[in-house]
Amino acid sequence: MPEAATSESLFDKIVNLSKRRGFVFQSAEIYGGFRSAYDYGPIGVLLLRNVKDAWWRSMVQLRTDVVGLDASILSPPAIWEASGHLKNFTDPLVDCRNCGARHRQDKLDDPDVCPSCGAKGQFTEARQFNLMFKTHAGPVVETAAEVYLRPETAQGMFVNFLNVMNASRKKPPFGIAQIGKSFRNEITPGNFVFRTREFEQMELEFFVPPGDADQWYEYWCRERLQWYLDLGIPTDKLRLRPHDADELSHYSSGTSDVEFLFPWGWDELEGIANRGDYDLTQHSTHSGERLDFFDQESNTRYVPHVIEPAAGATRTMMAFLLSAYDEEEVRGETRVVLRLHHRLAPYKVAVLPLSKKDTLTPVAREVLGLLQPRWMCDYDETQAIGRRYRRQDELGTPFCVTIDFDTLDDRSVTVRHRDSMAQDRVPIDELVAYFDELLQ
Ligand code: GAP
């Protein structure tokens, strides 16, 4: 993170920039805001999509051993009974008798003192609070019609293990990848989009022969850490933290978190877990379906073990924003610039005719027409050019193309680079090849 952006204020700067430039809005703001839910604006929807696309590209497109899935969000209790979520997906909740505030007991600095009012010894006994959202399918509100909004995308992949393996003719080691919304009734949502009740996950379930599980676990830890580094998170803001023995779930033989240095300290972006055969065995027992693999080469049947890299898309987007934010002095003024990796940048190119004169519009539209089919472009013809550059810097646009009056004579444009502010003069006929090279 650049020096100028101090940790103390960086968080507020990101929240303010998000609203001002259209990354993220508080949900239902005109009704006073719906706590812990957020809407992704015109720029945020592009950034979030680019985060998910970068994940999909690396996890599915560039591999031959991973296929995709988009499972339903509404799911029957049987899935959550088998997975253990109905029983165990809980947080300990305490109420303060003095001020009525509710807290997660395991997140309190002092388990005896209410952080809202300071009262000591006023907490109720902890109750286990299940984080799953329940609703009813169909018109009758009755127990038989109960369904859940999934709290993770993972189970959709376990219950489709056989369907996917048979349809795609894959065999272990192979993986199923999924991106989608998950819902958790968090007791203490907060820190902007870091912890919300509705969020997006990017999860891979990678099924391996039991004897190879440790090796694949190490492999995925390395791969996933590198993904964040390749997309521009600096090494000193990223770490892989193996869980202590008392943090591990009973079925996991190893879990590591990819952590980012948020303004409030190190916190989780992704968990990579060596889950053994727990999930397939549970669903096999509860459904009566045999969820295993017959290896014809060795003539053996086994339940594959699962390595699960599970990341949050919305949370990761926030980490990219925080690490890209920079401020610098330029000719006595502060320039705010998002130094986003070009793969993540919402717009790759902004086309900016110097003035809104009829003479420049046709050629500016011609340039836009060349670039728009290939890259997400912005087109902006109002305000002074300096202000338009500053706006694009705040959106993280790597390149601005300026069409000026010389363009009419020499059929060339000025390309301004976001990071260095250097400018190149490029013939219109060479623009596509020029950006192809820079944005590949
Ligand atoms: N299937 C395993 C699983 O869901 P998790 O650690 O509970 O594991 C994976 O969730 C990732 O999902 C987290 O590392 C985090 O990035 C994201 N995530 C979890 N809860 C979240 C929330 N309330 N708001 C935003 N992101 C969340």
Side-chain angles (χ1 to χ4, degrees):
M1 231 163 278
E3 286 299 311
T6 60
S7 294
E8 225 192 336
S9 58
L10 182 62
F11 181 82
D12 290 337
K13 286 174 179 172
I14 291 297
V15 174
N16 293 337
L17 177 76
S18 289
K19 174 159 185 198
R20 188 170 73 250
R21 291 304 187 194
F23 285 90
V24 180
F25 306 125
Q26 177 74 66
S27 192
E29 196 180 337
I30 60 167
Y31 292 104
F34 177 45
R35 196 171 156 248
S36 108
Y38 291 91
D39 299 339
Y40 292 78
I43 307 303
V45 74
L46 296 175
L47 177 56
L48 183 58
R49 180 170 295 199
N50 292 343
V51 170
K52 292 184 286 185
D53 284 351
W55 186 89
W56 192 265
R57 181 175 187 275
S58 123
M59 304 296 269
V60 183
Q61 187 183 333
L62 297 180
R63 305 185 65 98
T64 53
D65 56 0
V66 176
V67 290
L69 182 75
D70 191 354
S72 74
I73 288 171
L74 288 177
S75 37
I79 290 186
W80 309 107
E81 179 74 50
S83 69
H85 282 77
L86 272 177
K87 192 158 167 245
N88 301 323
F89 198 55
T90 56
D91 279 338
L93 171 72
V94 289
D95 293 313
C96 173
R97 290 195 189 88
N98 188 47
C99 72
R102 295 196 151 159
H103 298 285
R104 252 179 82 171
Q105 190 188 41
D106 58 330
K107 293 280 175 190
L108 291 169
D109 287 338
D110 181 337
D112 217 25
V113 178
C114 174
S116 304
C117 69
K120 206 164 180 233
Q122 290 300 314
F123 283 133
T124 56
E125 281 292 304
R127 300 192 301 285
Q128 288 304 325
F129 171 75
N130 196 293
L131 299 184
M132 284 198 294
F133 279 102
K134 185 159 58 178
T135 185
H136 295 86
V140 186
V141 177
E142 58 179 5
T143 311
E146 279 177 3
V147 292
Y148 291 90
L149 302 190
R150 65 180 179 199
E152 59 172 22
T153 62
Q155 299 304 322
M157 297 183 267
F158 297 131
V159 299
N160 277 295
F161 167 73
L162 277 188
N163 283 338
V164 173
M165 188 165 65
N166 293 336
S168 60
R169 299 190 302 119
K170 296 285 176 201
K171 54 182 193 177
F174 85 99
I176 309 177
Q178 181 169 203
I179 298 176
K181 287 220 168 176
S182 293
F183 301 82
R184 296 182 189 178
N185 200 359
E186 301 280 1
I187 298 171
T188 44
N191 282 339
F192 196 40
V193 297
F194 179 80
R195 180 171 288 108
T196 49
R197 295 197 171 113
E198 175 178 345
F199 55 96
E200 276 194 274
Q201 289 187 305
M202 311 183 286
E203 295 195 283
L204 170 72
E205 307 304 332
F206 200 74
F207 303 93
V208 300
D212 299 345
D214 289 347
Q215 193 183 318
W216 278 108
Y217 169 67
E218 298 296 332
Y219 166 87
W220 280 113
C221 285
R222 284 195 305 275
E223 282 287 298
R224 293 305 305 145
L225 193 69
Q226 195 58 43
W227 183 80
Y228 295 92
L229 296 171
D230 289 346
L231 288 170
I233 300 218
T235 39
D236 59 336
K237 303 290 175 214
L238 200 68
R239 73 178 187 192
L240 191 70
R241 186 185 66 80
H243 278 202
D244 295 332
D246 61 350
E247 285 179 273
L248 289 177
S249 0
H250 62 91
Y251 48 81
S252 173
S253 59
T255 298
S256 292
D257 286 346
V258 176
E259 293 187 334
F260 175 72
L261 190 52
F262 283 93
W264 57 90
W266 289 100
D267 222 329
E268 177 187 334
L269 288 179
E270 166 162 359
I272 301 138
N274 189 344
R275 300 177 64 94
D277 63 2
Y278 174 79
D279 307 281
L280 291 181
T281 303
Q282 283 294 106
H283 285 298
S284 192
T285 309
H286 282 73
S287 68
E289 288 281 338
R290 198 167 183 172
L291 303 180
D292 58 13
F293 173 70
F294 180 67
D295 186 354
Q296 287 174 333
E297 276 162 38
S298 61
N299 209 20
T300 51
R301 184 175 283 282
Y302 63 84
V303 179
H305 283 205
V306 169
I307 311 300
E308 178 194 67
T314 34
R315 191 178 279 191
T316 297
M317 178 188 122
M318 184 176 171
F320 283 127
L321 274 177
L322 285 162
S323 54
Y325 186 94
D326 192 13
E327 290 175 2
E328 64 180 11
E329 284 293 305
V330 178
R331 287 183 290 279
E333 278 188 34
T334 303
R335 178 173 93 111
V336 172
V337 53
L338 284 187
R339 300 191 191 278
L340 288 167
H341 188 285
H342 66 74
R343 196 178 285 292
L344 300 177
Y347 295 122
K348 312 302 178 203
V349 184
V351 177
L352 312 174
L354 195 61
S355 80
K356 205 179 161 184
K357 289 251 162 57
D358 289 348
T359 39
L360 293 184
T361 303
V363 66
R365 288 274 165 193
E366 180 195 336
V367 169
L368 183 68
L370 279 175
L371 305 178
Q372 216 170 21
R374 293 170 173 85
W375 300 287
M376 192 72 211
C377 296
D378 194 12
Y379 183 83
D380 186 1
E381 55 184 6
T382 52
Q383 289 190 327
I385 192 70
R387 293 188 70 170
R388 281 184 275 163
Y389 282 154
R390 276 202 294 284
R391 175 169 178 274
Q392 295 300 332
D393 287 342
E394 287 196 339
L395 302 183
T397 310
F399 304 105
C400 291
V401 169
T402 310
I403 288 93
D404 55 28
F405 291 98
D406 288 342
T407 307
L408 300 175
D409 298 326
D410 63 5
R411 288 204 42 90
S412 293
V413 293
T414 301
V415 177
R416 174 195 182 261
H417 296 235
R418 175 196 70 198
D419 291 341
S420 62
M421 293 189 293
Q423 303 199 347
D424 290 337
R425 195 78 185 160
V426 183
I428 291 174
D429 291 346
E430 292 170 21
L431 257 189
V432 168
Y434 177 88
F435 285 129
D436 252 338
E437 194 173 331
L438 289 170
L439 291 168
Q440 71 186 345

